[in-house]
Amino acid sequence: QPDQIGMHSGFHSYLYSVPKRRSIDTDTDESELRNVCDTILAHIAEVLDAFPGYALYITGHSLGGALACLFSFSAACCNLPQFKHPIRCVSIASPKAGNEDFRAAFELLEAQNKVRHLRVVNDKDLVPMLPEQHFSPRKQVYHHVGIELKLYNQRRGVVLSYERLREGILFSANELIVTSKTYVLVTSLCAFVGCCIALRDHNCREYEDRIHKHSEVLKKLKVPFLYELRLEKPDRGVLFDARKHTL
C-alpha cells in the first residue's frame, strides 16, 4: 500500500481545497471552512441518520464521473457509522482521475469490500482516454479504476474488463495503440465542427441510447456478480464480451 497517492490536480482542487477566510477578523462558522468533499459527507451522514435503511450510490457524467470516483474513494476510506460498505459508484464517460498509486489504493479498498465502481464508457468516446500523457514519469501517468463497461453502437454489444496494474509495465500494447490513435485524432480535430462530431459519443443522449439498446444484457449484469468475475480473473483481461458470449 503506497504512503502517498496522486490525483488529478483540477479534480482534487474541486473536492478537497479548503475555502480561504475572507478576513482574519471575521467570525467564520466551522462548516464554512470544510472542503466540498467533507461538506457532502456530512450532509449524507445526516440523511442516512434520518433514513438508516438506505444505501449510498454515487454517480456522475464526464467531469462529474471523475469527481464521483474520487468521492467514492473518500467515502470508502472514512469511518462514519452511517455508511454501509461497499460504497457503490457508477461513473459515466469519466476521464482518468489518479495515478498508479491511487489505483493501488483503490484496489485495496475493493479487496476489503469497501467500494465497488462500475465505469461506463461509450466506444470511441475520447474523454475517458484523457488526460493524454505519452512521455510522463511513471508516477505522473493517470490510470482508470473499477470495472469498465464499454457500450458499442448498434447491436455490437457490451464488453466488461478490469485492467490491473502490472509491476514494471506502464502501458499494455492495447493502451499504446489507443493512446497513439487518440493523439492523432485529437490533434487533427482543430475545427469546431470536427470537435463536435468527435464528442458525439460523449454526450448523455448517446449514452442513454446505447444503454437502452443493450438493456436486456445489462439487466443481467449485477455489480456483485461482476466483481465475482473479477476475482476469478485476477490478471488484466476481458471479464465478459456480449459479442462473443451470452449470459
Side-chain angles (χ1 to χ4, degrees), residues 16-185:
Y16 302 107
S17 293
V18 178
K20 296 181 180 179
R21 289 177 181 268
R22 286 168 291 184
S23 170
I24 58 175
D25 299 325
T26 303
D27 292 332
T28 306
D29 186 87
E30 183 179 351
S31 63
E32 296 180 9
L33 297 178
R34 292 174 177 168
N35 59 42
V36 172
C37 182
D38 289 340
T39 300
I40 298 174
L41 287 172
H43 179 67
I44 293 175
E46 293 176 0
V47 173
L48 293 178
D49 274 334
F51 303 93
Y54 282 45
L56 178 59
Y57 288 83
I58 305 162
T59 189
H61 172 265
S62 196
L63 165 62
L67 297 178
C69 172
L70 296 181
F71 181 79
S72 65
F73 177 82
S74 295
C77 288
C78 74
N79 295 316
L80 294 176
Q82 297 92 338
F83 287 17
K84 298 179 180 179
H85 293 137
I87 303 299
R88 300 167 180 86
C89 176
V90 179
S91 66
I92 301 171
S94 170
K96 304 167 189 175
N99 68 355
E100 64 176 82
D101 290 332
F102 172 74
R103 180 154 78 170
F106 200 96
E107 287 183 354
L108 178 61
L109 292 175
E110 289 177 312
Q112 296 171 345
N113 197 36
K114 291 185 176 181
V115 66
R116 295 289 182 259
H117 182 198
L118 181 64
R119 187 169 51 83
V120 183
V121 301
N122 274 345
D123 180 48
K124 295 184 175 61
D125 185 353
L126 298 181
V127 174
M129 301 179 188
L130 303 174
E132 276 303 303
Q133 295 164 292
H134 296 278
F135 306 106
S136 300
R138 182 185 180 92
K139 293 291 185 180
Q140 296 178 16
V141 174
Y142 295 95
H143 296 277
H144 279 302
V145 297
I147 294 178
E148 178 184 276
L149 170 61
K150 178 170 285 189
L151 303 172
Y152 287 85
N153 201 2
Q154 304 302 324
R155 298 187 177 276
R156 291 187 61 192
V158 302
V159 175
L160 289 153
S161 62
Y162 185 89
E163 295 191 350
R164 296 178 63 91
L165 188 67
R166 286 180 172 177
E167 185 177 357
I169 297 179
L170 189 60
F171 291 104
S172 67
N174 183 61
E175 285 173 328
L176 283 173
I177 293 172
V178 171
T179 299
S180 300
K181 288 182 178 179
T182 303
Y183 180 78
V184 173
L185 183 58

Side-chain angles (χ1 to χ4, degrees), residues 52 123 133 142 145 219 230-231 244 246:
D123 180 48
Q133 295 164 292
Y142 295 95
V145 297
K219 288 176 183 178
R230 195 210 76 183
L231 292 175
K244 301 176 181 179
T246 57

Side-chain angles (χ1 to χ4, degrees), residues 231-243:
L231 292 175
E232 294 176 2
K233 298 183 177 182
D235 296 325
R236 66 172 66 223
V238 176
L239 300 179
F240 173 77
D241 189 339
R243 299 170 299 175

